[in-house]
Amino acid sequence: SVVFALALSPAISVTWRALTPPRSASSIAGHIVETHAARASAAAAAATRMRAAKCAGGTLDEGDTRRRMARTPVNVITGALGAGKTTHILRALASAKPANETWAVVVNDFGALGIDGALLDDAVGTRERDARELGRTIVREVSGGCACCATAAPFAVAVTQVLRRYRPARVLVEPSGMGDAGRVIDALRSEHLRASVDVRATICVVDVRVFGEDEGRAAVLRSELFKAQTECADAMCGSFADAASEAEMEAFLAFGRGFWPKKSAVFLA
């Protein structure tokens, strides 16, 4: 129950954890849940500072604090074509999204067919028109190219429309596997969107089998696009671990742990 269109006080956080099975950050869902809780804690702390400043007759900028608390958290889920981004986003929607919240997924497919968006829309079983009423997930497509280049303006317009129309609790952005996620992040931090969104963890999904001996898959490692996608990510998720060898999984983990600054998480899923 999520609509695809591409964080609570300590007390609420305790309630959330009590009502759901324990999760680790070793999944995209787990990573989003952790950032969700961190944002909630930060919001609670900001509210406490506001109350304390009022009692002390201070001059804390209440308007600025409220604006920061009001921004919508956004996660970018990047990765090469076929890495498994859509699959992991669906898992995150199924396990991390509270039932009473509306989330949005902005999908940037490559080409005119809109395949990723169609798969997501069918999987979540809902349509944009009833998403707000049912507290589900909104799927919003930016078709015909890459959000980081030719369709940068439509991408910004799509995100703005989703924020204004549905007021989602969180937005997940899935850039095209052919696109540079760094430019997507730049667009989210541009003057047109930065007052409305809070860019959270960017997660790169990598097919761990590219670290094997198959030359076709291994060619991905030498591409500038792969380098850009992995360097801009805060965390890395190794997909297709169930179909990979021990050597391939170990090579992926070593690769992910070799970055500086360090990634916040490198995990298999």
Side-chain angles (χ1 to χ4, degrees):
S1 62
V2 177
V3 180
F4 222 76
L6 36 150
L8 311 164
S9 71
I12 296 177
S13 179
V14 170
T15 302
W16 164 250
R17 292 180 183 278
L19 293 175
T20 57
R23 297 185 182 89
S24 74
S26 295
S27 68
I28 287 180
H31 208 76
I32 290 175
V33 167
E34 288 197 349
T35 59
H36 202 71
R39 183 174 185 270
S41 180
T48 300
R49 289 196 299 272
M50 285 170 53
R51 290 192 294 269
K54 283 185 176 180
C55 292
T59 58
L60 183 68
D61 187 341
E62 182 175 337
D64 181 66
T65 300
R66 289 189 184 282
R67 283 192 293 274
R68 289 175 181 273
M69 293 170 62
R71 291 186 300 171
T72 303
V74 177
N75 292 95
V76 176
I77 314 298
T78 186
L81 289 170
K85 299 185 298 296
T86 301
T87 297
H88 285 286
I89 287 173
L90 288 171
R91 290 176 182 173
L93 290 174
S95 60
K97 175 189 167 298
N100 63 340
E101 288 188 357
T102 294
W103 285 20
V105 181
V106 177
V107 184
N108 175 220
D109 57 74
F110 188 76
L113 295 178
I115 296 174
D116 282 353
L119 287 173
L120 285 166
D121 202 38
D122 289 343
V124 300
T126 189
R127 296 289 173 184
E128 206 171 287
R129 62 176 178 272
D130 65 359
R132 184 62 184 170
E133 291 77 3
L134 299 178
R136 293 185 176 177
T137 304
I138 309 299
V139 176
R140 183 70 162 80
E141 290 185 74
V142 182
S143 300
C146 166
C148 65
C149 48
T151 57
F155 170 74
V157 169
V159 173
T160 300
Q161 289 177 340
V162 165
L163 294 174
R164 290 179 177 176
R165 181 174 181 182
Y166 299 104
R167 299 184 183 277
R170 180 174 294 273
V171 175
L172 304 180
V173 177
E174 180 186 355
S176 164
M178 299 293 290
D180 183 347
R183 294 189 181 182
V184 174
I185 296 169
D186 288 342
L188 291 169
R189 290 175 173 160
S190 69
E191 60 179 334
H192 304 294
L193 291 173
R194 64 188 177 199
S196 302
V197 301
D198 179 12
V199 181
R200 309 296 292 180
T202 294
I203 303 170
C204 182
V205 180
V206 177
D207 182 347
V208 299
R209 295 173 298 178
V210 301
F211 292 91
E213 297 179 359
D214 184 291
E215 182 58 29
R217 289 188 177 129
V220 172
L221 299 174
R222 298 189 292 271
S223 73
E224 289 299 316
L225 180 60
F226 178 80
K227 180 180 179 181
Q229 290 173 341
T230 53
E231 285 184 346
C232 78
D234 299 297
M236 292 179 61
C237 167
S239 63
F240 296 102
D242 57 341
S245 67
E246 287 291 331
E248 290 168 340
M249 291 187 285
E250 288 299 325
F252 162 74
L253 293 173
F255 172 79
R257 292 165 182 163
F259 282 88
W260 186 263
K262 295 290 187 182
K263 303 298 185 187
S264 61
V266 179
F267 54 90
L268 297 166

